[in-house]
Amino acid sequence: MSFPVTRTTALRVAMIATGIAAIGYGALLALSRSTPEILSAAIWFGGGIIIHDALIAPLSLAVGYSGRTVLPRTWWAPIATAGLCTATLLAVAVPVLGREGARPDNPTVLDRDYTTGLAIAVGAIWVIALLLGTIRARRHEQNR
């Protein structure tokens, strides 16, 4: 049995080959570095996977399932979207909230009140989610 080689198939094969070559090049670069750098990278990559699989994914499943059993159907999308945006903002904000990179000799590094900014952003997300949920609920009631 033979498969016809189309332009799409050839493009996919080329993309896969390029990806494999890039991974190989990255692996060679990583192995040419000193051991502490490799260990640090392994901890970051492995730690992220472990934290996701052991904590974030089960917590997301539990919250999602609980939300679907408690909330009306019209509220599912706005609340899920707000939760995802909040979790993303929190994950991005973790490095700057502790101000570990702040330097007294360079006041432009970490020069803001990131806690207040995070609170405002999360508050705005949830206000928008509540407004959208209310609009969706009212439209659903009108269409009955």
Side-chain angles (χ1 to χ4, degrees):
M1 183 191 295
S2 68
F3 295 101
V5 178
T6 63
R7 243 175 83 182
T8 305
T9 304
L11 181 61
R12 286 181 183 164
V13 168
M15 290 172 61
I16 290 169
T18 303
I20 290 171
I23 290 169
Y25 179 69
L28 285 175
L29 284 178
L31 293 174
S32 70
R33 303 290 178 193
S34 66
T35 306
E37 290 174 349
I38 294 173
L39 183 60
S40 176
I43 289 170
W44 274 101
F45 288 127
I49 292 169
I50 290 169
I51 289 171
H52 176 270
D53 290 353
L55 181 67
I56 295 171
L59 184 62
S60 296
L61 285 170
V63 169
Y65 180 75
S66 299
R68 287 182 67 124
T69 58
V70 173
L71 295 171
R73 186 186 254 335
T74 55
W75 284 89
W76 290 357
I79 297 300
T81 303
L84 177 64
C85 290
T86 300
T88 303
L89 273 176
L90 290 173
V92 170
V94 165
V96 296
L97 289 177
R99 303 187 55 81
E100 285 87 17
R103 294 178 41 198
D105 61 330
N106 186 354
T108 62
V109 177
L110 299 175
D111 62 342
R112 293 173 181 81
D113 181 7
Y114 291 101
T115 305
T116 302
L118 176 65
I120 291 169
V122 169
I125 288 169
W126 284 97
V127 165
I128 292 168
L130 293 174
L131 288 173
L132 290 175
T134 303
I135 290 168
R136 287 171 53 106
R138 286 185 180 166
R139 282 186 184 165
H140 180 71
E141 288 296 320
Q142 289 174 353
N143 291 336
R144 277 188 167 182

